[in-house]
Structures are given as C-alpha cells and as structure tokens.
C-alpha cells in the first residue's frame, strides 16, 4: 500500500473506495457540490489526484455515490417511517410527507450545485433504481395499506405516490430555479391539505 493511501486509511477499516465516498459526502454536507473538483476531494482524502480513477469511472460516479450517502445520512436524522397498519393512514401519510420535505430541504445545498451536472443526477438515479428509498418506502406503505383494506381496493398507489413526491420536489425546485436563499417552509396546514387530498382519492369506499 502506498504511503499516502496508508495515511488516508489508518483511522479506520474502510476500503479506499469507501473512504473516497465518505470524504466526498462530508465535503458535500459542508460546502455543497458547486466547484467540487477531483483535486479538492483527493487532497481532503489524503491521496494522489489520480487515485480516484482507480475506483471510479469519473468524478460523476463518485459524486453520485456521495450524494446517495448524503441522502442516507440525512435519513438517519429523521424519525422512523411508519409501517402499514400503524396508527391511522392519515397520521402515517403526514409523517411521510414531513419526512420527504425535510429530506429534500437537507439536500438543497447539494442539489444547487448539480443543476449544471446532469450526468451526476443520472448516475444517482441509476444507483437508486429510478427512485430514492423514501419514495419506494412510501409506495410500499400504500400498497401494504391497500392489502390490509385500510385504503380503497382500487387505490392508484403510484399516482398517489407521485403526487406526494411532486409536492416535495416543488418545495426545493422553486428555490433552485428562482435562486432564493432558503427553502420555503411548508406549513402544517399545507401538509394537512395534501394528506386530505390524497385520502380523497384513495380512502376506503
């Protein structure tokens, strides 16, 4: 093992690939992705500039993995998502909506620097199988409630999921596109309105 590689890894048991992802994720959390270069990541990780290309096809692949790690890190700070059959469907949907809004709000600094880097977003989407864990959990939750009979047997789960996800996306897209400083805070009343609207379409008949 090269001396710089040994220095980079001596503090833990991570592989060098994992170390690079963790380093890039930390840098994203501290300064976003704007202007984040291979050299800056390598210097922060304590390795030579070219080492990155031994473990990733390019910078975009590394950033996609780092962005996924950032999503997972934010998710660990949020309350657990309910399972089908817990509490009431209305209360559970409120938790899912609030979780989604907080997740997107936390990702705003990273996303702001990625608008001009569509390849990173494409790689990130591919890593997540076309959708983030929160979105997939929401869809699975709704299917579970449908199986339990707590929502309509013919409930259009994918449409309801897309509606909720779209509202959470809109909350940050408006900030990114308008160049405002902070994400708009969705009021509890707006969360309640969204939940009520969704339940009107999928609630038990």
């Amino acid at each position: 093992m090269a001396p710089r590689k040994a220095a980079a890894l001596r503090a833990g048991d991570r592989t060098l690939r994992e170390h690079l992802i963790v380093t890039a994720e930390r840098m994203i959390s501290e300064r976003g992705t704007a202007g984040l270069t291979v050299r800056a990541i390598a210097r922060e990780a304590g390795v030579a500039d070219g080492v990155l290309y031994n473990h990733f096809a390019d910078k975009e692949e590394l950033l996609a993995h780092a962005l996924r790690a950032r999503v997972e890190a934010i998710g660990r700070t949020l309350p657990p998502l309910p399972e089908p059959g817990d509490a009431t469907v209305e209360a559970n949907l409120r938790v899912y909506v609030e979780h989604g809004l907080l997740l997107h709000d936390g990702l705003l600094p990273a996303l702001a620097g990625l608008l001009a880097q569509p390849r990173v977003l494409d790689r990130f989407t591919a890593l997540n199988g076309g959708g983030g864990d929160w979105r997939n959990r929401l869809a699975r939750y709704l299917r579970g409630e449908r199986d339990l009979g707590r929502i309509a047997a013919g409930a259009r789960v994918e449409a309801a999921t897309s509606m909720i996800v779209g509202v959470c996306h809109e909350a940050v897209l408006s900030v990114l596109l308008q160049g405002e400083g902070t994400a708009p805070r969705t009021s509890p009343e707006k969360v309640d309105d969204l939940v009520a609207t969704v339940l009107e379409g999928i609630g038990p008949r």
Side-chain angles (χ1 to χ4, degrees), residues 100-102 104-105 108 164-176 180 182-186:
L101 289 168
L102 290 170
H104 284 75
D105 188 34
L108 183 59
I164 293 172
V165 172
V167 169
C168 295
H169 283 177
E170 192 277 334
V172 296
L173 282 176
S174 60
V175 177
L176 295 176
E180 298 173 9
T182 58
R185 298 294 177 179
T186 301

Side-chain angles (χ1 to χ4, degrees), residues 93-102 134 164 168 191 194-195:
L93 282 179
R94 189 176 293 110
V95 172
Y96 272 94
V97 171
E98 291 172 346
H99 185 107
L101 289 168
L102 290 170
W134 164 73
I164 293 172
C168 295
V191 172
L194 174 59
V195 170

Side-chain angles (χ1 to χ4, degrees), residues 24-37 41 59 62-64 66-67 70 107-117 120-121:
E25 186 274 322
R26 184 178 69 251
M27 295 176 75
I28 287 174
S29 71
E30 294 172 352
R31 64 192 81 169
T33 54
L36 194 58
T37 64
I41 296 170
K59 183 183 77 170
L62 170 57
L63 289 182
L67 186 57
R70 185 66 193 140
L107 282 174
L108 183 59
L111 295 174
L114 291 177
L115 284 180
Q117 302 184 62
V120 176
L121 296 176

Side-chain angles (χ1 to χ4, degrees), residues 51-185:
V51 167
L52 182 151
Y53 299 104
N54 294 331
H55 301 273
F56 302 93
D58 46 35
K59 183 183 77 170
E60 286 78 14
E61 183 184 1
L62 170 57
L63 289 182
H65 281 279
L67 186 57
R68 183 172 69 172
R70 185 66 193 140
V71 170
E72 293 170 350
I74 295 171
R76 288 193 292 271
T77 69
L78 302 179
L81 293 169
E83 297 292 335
D86 291 347
T88 65
V89 175
E90 180 179 3
N92 293 340
L93 282 179
R94 189 176 293 110
V95 172
Y96 272 94
V97 171
E98 291 172 346
H99 185 107
L101 289 168
L102 290 170
L103 180 63
H104 284 75
D105 188 34
L107 282 174
L108 183 59
L111 295 174
L114 291 177
L115 284 180
Q117 302 184 62
R119 289 178 59 195
V120 176
L121 296 176
D122 288 343
R123 299 280 184 88
F124 173 69
T125 299
L127 286 176
N128 286 278
D133 183 62
W134 164 73
R135 187 193 194 286
N136 294 334
R137 284 285 306 275
L138 172 58
R140 288 199 299 271
Y141 166 76
L142 290 173
R143 285 194 293 268
E145 294 289 23
R146 185 175 59 189
D147 293 343
L148 292 173
R150 300 216 302 170
I151 61 177
R156 298 181 178 180
V157 167
E158 286 303 320
T161 300
S162 295
M163 180 184 296
I164 293 172
V165 172
V167 169
C168 295
H169 283 177
E170 192 277 334
V172 296
L173 282 176
S174 60
V175 177
L176 295 176
L177 297 176
Q178 296 172 21
E180 298 173 9
T182 58
R185 298 294 177 179

